[in-house]
Coordinates of all heavy atoms in Angstrom, one line a residue:
L408 N -6.1 16.5 5.5 CA -5.8 16.4 4.1 C -6.8 17.0 3.1 O -8.0 16.8 3.4 CB -5.5 14.9 3.7 CG -4.4 14.3 4.5 CD1 -4.3 12.8 4.2 CD2 -3.0 14.9 4.1
P409 N -6.4 17.6 2.1 CA -7.4 18.2 1.1 C -8.0 17.1 0.2 O -7.6 15.9 0.4 CB -6.5 19.1 0.3 CG -5.1 18.6 0.4 CD -5.0 18.0 1.7
A410 N -8.8 17.4 -0.7 CA -9.5 16.5 -1.5 C -8.6 15.9 -2.6 O -7.6 16.5 -3.0 CB -10.7 17.1 -2.2
G411 N -9.0 14.7 -3.0 CA -8.3 14.0 -4.1 C -6.9 13.4 -3.8 O -6.2 13.0 -4.7
I412 N -6.6 13.3 -2.5 CA -5.3 12.7 -2.1 C -5.3 11.2 -2.2 O -6.3 10.5 -1.9 CB -5.0 13.1 -0.6 CG1 -4.8 14.6 -0.4 CG2 -3.8 12.3 0.0 CD1 -3.6 15.1 -1.0
T413 N -4.2 10.7 -2.7 CA -4.0 9.2 -2.7 C -2.8 8.9 -1.8 O -1.8 9.5 -1.9 CB -3.6 8.7 -4.1 OG1 -4.7 9.0 -5.0 CG2 -3.4 7.2 -4.1
I414 N -3.1 8.0 -0.8 CA -2.0 7.6 0.1 C -1.6 6.2 -0.2 O -2.4 5.3 -0.3 CB -2.5 7.7 1.6 CG1 -2.8 9.2 1.9 CG2 -1.5 7.1 2.6 CD1 -3.3 9.4 3.3
I415 N -0.2 6.0 -0.3 CA 0.3 4.7 -0.6 C 1.2 4.4 0.6 O 2.2 5.1 0.9 CB 1.2 4.7 -1.9 CG1 0.2 5.0 -3.1 CG2 1.9 3.4 -2.1 CD1 1.0 5.2 -4.4
N416 N 0.9 3.3 1.3 CA 1.7 2.8 2.4 C 1.3 1.4 2.7 O 0.6 0.8 2.0 CB 1.5 3.7 3.7 CG 0.1 3.8 4.1 OD1 -0.8 3.0 3.8 ND2 -0.3 4.9 4.8
Q417 N 1.9 0.8 3.8 CA 1.7 -0.5 4.2 C 1.3 -0.6 5.7 O 2.1 -1.0 6.5 CB 2.9 -1.4 4.0 CG 3.2 -1.8 2.6 CD 4.3 -2.9 2.5 OE1 5.3 -2.8 3.3 NE2 4.2 -3.8 1.6
P418 N 0.1 -0.1 6.0 CA -0.3 -0.1 7.5 C -0.4 -1.4 8.1 O -0.3 -1.5 9.4 CB -1.7 0.6 7.4 CG -2.2 0.4 6.1 CD -1.0 0.4 5.2
L419 N -0.5 -2.5 7.4 CA -0.5 -3.8 8.0 C 0.8 -4.5 7.9 O 1.4 -5.0 8.9 CB -1.6 -4.7 7.3 CG -1.7 -6.1 7.8 CD1 -1.9 -6.2 9.3 CD2 -2.8 -6.9 7.0
W420 N 1.4 -4.6 6.7 CA 2.7 -5.4 6.5 C 3.8 -4.6 7.1 O 4.7 -5.2 7.7 CB 2.9 -5.7 5.1 CG 4.0 -6.7 4.8 CD1 5.1 -6.4 4.1 CD2 4.0 -8.1 5.1 NE1 5.9 -7.6 4.0 CE2 5.2 -8.6 4.6 CE3 3.1 -8.9 5.8 CZ2 5.5 -10.0 4.8 CZ3 3.4 -10.2 5.9 CH2 4.6 -10.7 5.4
L421 N 3.9 -3.3 7.0 CA 4.9 -2.5 7.6 C 6.3 -2.9 7.4 O 7.1 -3.0 8.3 CB 4.6 -2.4 9.2 CG 3.3 -1.7 9.6 CD1 3.1 -1.9 11.1 CD2 3.3 -0.2 9.3
S422 N 6.6 -3.1 6.1 CA 8.0 -3.5 5.8 C 8.8 -2.2 5.5 O 8.5 -1.4 4.6 CB 8.0 -4.3 4.5 OG 9.3 -4.8 4.2
I423 N 9.8 -1.9 6.4 CA 10.5 -0.7 6.2 C 11.4 -0.7 5.0 O 11.9 -1.8 4.6 CB 11.4 -0.3 7.5 CG1 12.6 -1.3 7.7 CG2 10.5 -0.3 8.7 CD1 13.5 -0.8 8.7
G424 N 11.5 0.4 4.3 CA 12.2 0.5 3.0 C 11.2 0.4 1.8 O 11.6 0.7 0.7
Y425 N 10.0 0.0 2.1 CA 9.0 -0.2 1.0 C 8.7 1.0 0.2 O 8.6 1.0 -1.0 CB 7.7 -0.7 1.7 CG 6.4 -0.4 0.9 CD1 6.0 -1.3 -0.2 CD2 5.6 0.7 1.1 CE1 4.9 -1.0 -0.9 CE2 4.5 0.9 0.4 CZ 4.1 0.1 -0.6 OH 3.0 0.3 -1.4
S426 N 8.7 2.2 0.9 CA 8.1 3.3 0.2 C 8.9 3.9 -0.9 O 8.4 4.5 -1.9 CB 7.9 4.4 1.3 OG 9.1 4.9 1.9
L427 N 10.3 3.8 -0.8 CA 11.1 4.4 -1.9 C 10.9 3.7 -3.2 O 10.6 4.4 -4.2 CB 12.6 4.4 -1.5 CG 13.5 5.0 -2.4 CD1 13.3 6.5 -2.6 CD2 15.0 4.8 -2.0
P428 N 11.0 2.4 -3.3 CA 10.7 1.8 -4.6 C 9.2 1.9 -5.0 O 8.9 2.0 -6.2 CB 11.1 0.3 -4.4 CG 12.0 0.3 -3.3 CD 11.6 1.4 -2.4
A429 N 8.3 1.9 -4.0 CA 6.9 2.1 -4.3 C 6.6 3.4 -4.9 O 5.8 3.5 -5.8 CB 6.1 1.9 -3.0
L430 N 7.4 4.4 -4.5 CA 7.3 5.8 -5.1 C 7.7 5.7 -6.6 O 7.0 6.3 -7.5 CB 8.1 6.8 -4.4 CG 8.3 8.2 -5.0 CD1 6.9 8.9 -5.0 CD2 9.3 9.0 -4.3
F431 N 8.7 5.0 -6.9 CA 9.2 4.8 -8.3 C 8.0 4.2 -9.1 O 7.7 4.6 -10.2 CB 10.4 3.9 -8.3 CG 10.8 3.5 -9.7 CD1 10.7 4.3 -10.8 CD2 11.3 2.2 -9.9 CE1 11.1 3.9 -12.1 CE2 11.7 1.8 -11.2 CZ 11.6 2.6 -12.3
G432 N 7.4 3.2 -8.6 CA 6.3 2.5 -9.3 C 5.1 3.4 -9.5 O 4.5 3.5 -10.6
S433 N 4.7 4.2 -8.4 CA 3.5 5.1 -8.5 C 3.8 6.2 -9.5 O 2.9 6.7 -10.2 CB 3.1 5.6 -7.2 OG 4.2 6.4 -6.6
L434 N 5.1 6.7 -9.6 CA 5.5 7.7 -10.5 C 5.4 7.2 -12.0 O 5.0 7.9 -12.9 CB 6.9 8.2 -10.2 CG 6.9 9.3 -9.1 CD1 8.4 9.4 -8.6 CD2 6.4 10.6 -9.6
M435 N 5.8 5.9 -12.2 CA 5.7 5.3 -13.5 C 4.3 5.2 -13.9 O 4.0 5.3 -15.1 CB 6.4 4.0 -13.5 CG 7.9 4.0 -13.4 SD 8.8 4.8 -14.8 CE 8.5 3.5 -16.0
A436 N 3.4 5.0 -13.0 CA 2.0 4.8 -13.3 C 1.3 6.2 -13.6 O 0.4 6.3 -14.4 CB 1.2 4.1 -12.2
A437 N 1.7 7.2 -12.8 CA 1.1 8.6 -12.9 C 2.2 9.7 -12.8 O 2.2 10.4 -11.8 CB 0.0 8.7 -11.9
P438 N 3.0 9.8 -13.8 CA 4.1 10.7 -13.8 C 3.7 12.2 -13.7 O 4.5 13.1 -13.3 CB 4.9 10.4 -15.0 CG 3.9 9.8 -16.0 CD 3.0 9.1 -15.1
K439 N 2.5 12.5 -14.1 CA 2.1 13.9 -14.1 C 1.5 14.4 -12.8 O 1.3 15.6 -12.6 CB 1.0 14.2 -15.2 CG 1.6 14.0 -16.6 CD 0.6 14.3 -17.7 CE 1.2 14.1 -19.1 NZ 0.2 14.4 -20.2
R440 N 1.2 13.5 -11.8 CA 0.7 13.9 -10.5 C 1.9 14.3 -9.6 O 3.0 13.7 -9.7 CB -0.1 12.8 -9.9 CG -1.4 12.5 -10.6 CD -2.2 11.5 -9.8 NE -2.7 11.9 -8.5 CZ -3.4 11.1 -7.7 NH1 -3.8 9.9 -8.1 NH2 -3.8 11.6 -6.5
R441 N 1.7 15.3 -8.8 CA 2.7 15.6 -7.8 C 2.8 14.6 -6.7 O 1.7 14.2 -6.1 CB 2.4 17.0 -7.1 CG 3.6 17.5 -6.3 CD 3.3 18.9 -5.8 NE 2.7 18.9 -4.5 CZ 2.9 19.8 -3.6 NH1 3.8 20.8 -3.8 NH2 2.3 19.8 -2.4

Side-chain angles (χ1 to χ4, degrees):
L408 297 174
I412 293 291
T413 300
I414 294 179
I415 296 176
N416 57 21
Q417 283 189 327
L419 176 57
W420 192 245
L421 292 173
S422 184
I423 68 170
Y425 156 83
S426 64
L427 182 64
L430 173 67
F431 171 39
S433 62
L434 279 164
M435 290 294 289
K439 294 183 179 180
R440 291 183 68 178
R441 192 174 88 146

